Amino acid sequence: MSTLGSSGVEVGGLGLGAAPLGNLFTEVDDEQAYRAVDVAWQQGIRYFDTAPHYGIGLSERRLGAALRDRPRAEYTISTKVGRRLERVETVTGDDLADGFAVPATSRRVWDFTADGIRRTLDASLERLGLDRVDIVYLHDPDDHAEQAFHEGYPALEKLRAEGVVGAIGAGMNQAGMLTCFIRDTDVDVVLCAGRYTLLDQSALTELLPSAVARGKSVVIGGAFNSGLLADPKPDATYNYAQAPAELLDRALRMKEAAERHGTTLRAAALAFCAAHPAVASVLVGARSEAEVRDCAEQFAAKVPGAFWQELRDTGLLSAEAPVPTEERS
């Protein structure tokens, strides 16, 4: 377990990202979603991340129901604010334009005001069936920086001071603004998705060193870059779009190297993310018990030091990126 900054909130090395439980891209039924959470618990996973955005609240409702009979003190849960849900009077279609196979029963409203933050969190707590969450992230404030820094972040500070939440931060698919949160505010943690992987180490330039220097924590999402590092093949996705040929080639070369050294690319991708000293946890999205089991097994697998050396020798991995020791890998 790692403590997030100076918050006292603890997370395990592997966490479950619950976007797939909100019908990300394809439908998942309730039983399948609950079973995925049950198996995650059996595998020792105690950190669960969700957001109102995921399935227009469906992920939060399912995660709350799946955890309802678990001892509250034994798990850590995070959700996000900044996308407030407003019910629509007439449902006219689905939400696939935003990536989720659910009826479009609500619309998302960008809202990083202090009032919007509290209203959004109150609604999340109702869907989760909880009286508190452990971590709250400002969700994708890329185009709302002024409001997020001057209204949203202070609102989170107040919620933390009131004891409503234990740790606060921001979650984004970029490293630059997250570095500003680390340097310019008193966040405990940031969630960086897709920017620290075997294929993209842009977070290594400033974000991760800044977090270490300031005693802050980083949670890594998107370790597989939305699929390419899980199963590299011609139709694989990279950051939710068709994988460029150059990156597909790099991923295939890494996969071949992993197999030569008796491991898997999935194990290497997870181990790489976890190896940096700033990283407190790696989130994996899974929609079935089989996927959860596989992720837990891959995370626990040993990745030989010779594999990392080959990647560096062949230019597939920067020499500056820390890799697991034999003891951790």
Side-chain angles (χ1 to χ4, degrees):
M1 301 291 283
S2 297
T3 301
L4 301 178
S6 58
S7 68
V9 175
E10 293 185 333
V11 293
L14 183 66
L16 182 68
L21 306 189
N23 289 6
L24 179 64
F25 302 132
T26 58
E27 290 187 16
V28 172
D29 64 36
D30 287 345
E31 184 58 34
Q32 184 177 340
Y34 300 153
R35 184 60 183 158
V37 177
D38 286 345
V39 171
W41 191 276
Q42 293 167 13
Q43 296 294 319
I45 293 173
R46 294 294 184 272
Y47 174 33
F48 303 89
D49 174 73
T50 185
H53 171 56
Y54 303 155
I56 321 181
L58 179 62
S59 173
E60 289 182 318
R61 288 192 293 273
R62 283 176 164 169
L63 186 59
L67 292 172
R68 194 142 299 153
D69 295 329
R70 308 290 184 183
R72 182 62 185 89
E74 293 185 15
Y75 65 87
T76 299
I77 191 166
S78 58
T79 192
K80 306 179 183 75
V81 291
R83 283 181 171 104
R84 181 167 49 79
L85 301 182
E86 287 187 350
R87 300 286 295 184
V88 298
E89 291 186 6
T90 304
V91 178
T92 58
D94 59 40
D95 191 53
L96 282 171
D98 280 298
F100 296 91
V102 296
T105 55
S106 297
R107 66 175 180 267
R108 300 168 180 82
V109 177
W110 289 106
D111 190 348
F112 291 94
T113 65
D115 178 66
I117 296 299
R118 287 184 176 264
R119 288 170 60 192
T120 301
L121 181 57
D122 286 345
S124 289
L125 291 173
E126 183 175 350
R127 285 188 291 269
L128 288 163
L130 298 173
D131 60 4
R132 63 181 175 86
V133 290
D134 302 287
I135 310 161
V136 176
Y137 299 106
L138 298 171
H139 198 182
D140 293 339
D142 306 64
D143 298 325
H144 309 273
E146 183 174 355
Q147 190 176 69
F149 278 101
H150 294 102
E151 299 183 56
Y153 168 72
L156 289 189
E157 267 201 340
K158 290 181 180 179
L159 288 168
R160 182 176 60 185
E162 294 167 4
V164 178
V165 300
I168 59 173
M172 304 178 72
N173 294 284
Q174 59 150 293
M177 194 183 294
L178 290 181
T179 303
C180 294
F181 276 105
I182 290 287
R183 292 178 174 174
D184 301 336
T185 74
D186 189 34
V187 294
D188 305 291
V189 57
V190 294
L191 197 172
C192 181
R195 304 286 76 83
Y196 192 64
T197 73
L198 284 174
L199 292 172
D200 182 340
Q201 287 115 57
S202 52
L204 189 61
T205 305
E206 293 185 289
L207 174 59
L208 293 169
S210 296
V212 171
R214 288 163 173 76
K216 308 298 185 180
S217 298
V218 177
V219 171
I220 296 295
F224 300 138
N225 282 124
S226 85
L228 182 55
L229 286 170
D231 185 16
K233 54 187 178 181
D235 62 346
T237 55
Y238 176 80
N239 294 347
Y240 305 105
Q242 181 72 33
E246 179 186 359
L247 290 180
L248 174 59
D249 178 67
R250 288 176 65 85
L252 287 169
R253 291 169 62 193
M254 289 179 179
K255 180 181 179 181
E256 291 166 0
E259 292 172 350
R260 280 195 297 273
H261 292 282
T263 186
T264 68
L265 182 58
R266 300 190 308 287
L270 295 173
F272 174 77
C273 293
H276 196 284
V279 174
S281 187
V282 180
L283 290 172
V284 293
R287 67 180 63 247
S288 68
E289 60 179 290
E291 290 183 359
V292 173
R293 289 186 194 279
D294 182 71
C295 287
E297 290 170 1
Q298 299 302 318
F299 187 77
K302 292 185 179 297
V303 181
F307 165 79
W308 303 112
Q309 190 61 51
E310 178 176 339
L311 259 55
R312 285 178 166 166
D313 290 346
T314 56
L316 290 171
L317 184 63
S318 166
E320 287 75 35
V323 296
T325 63
E326 289 286 352
E327 289 74 19
R328 164 61 185 89
S329 66

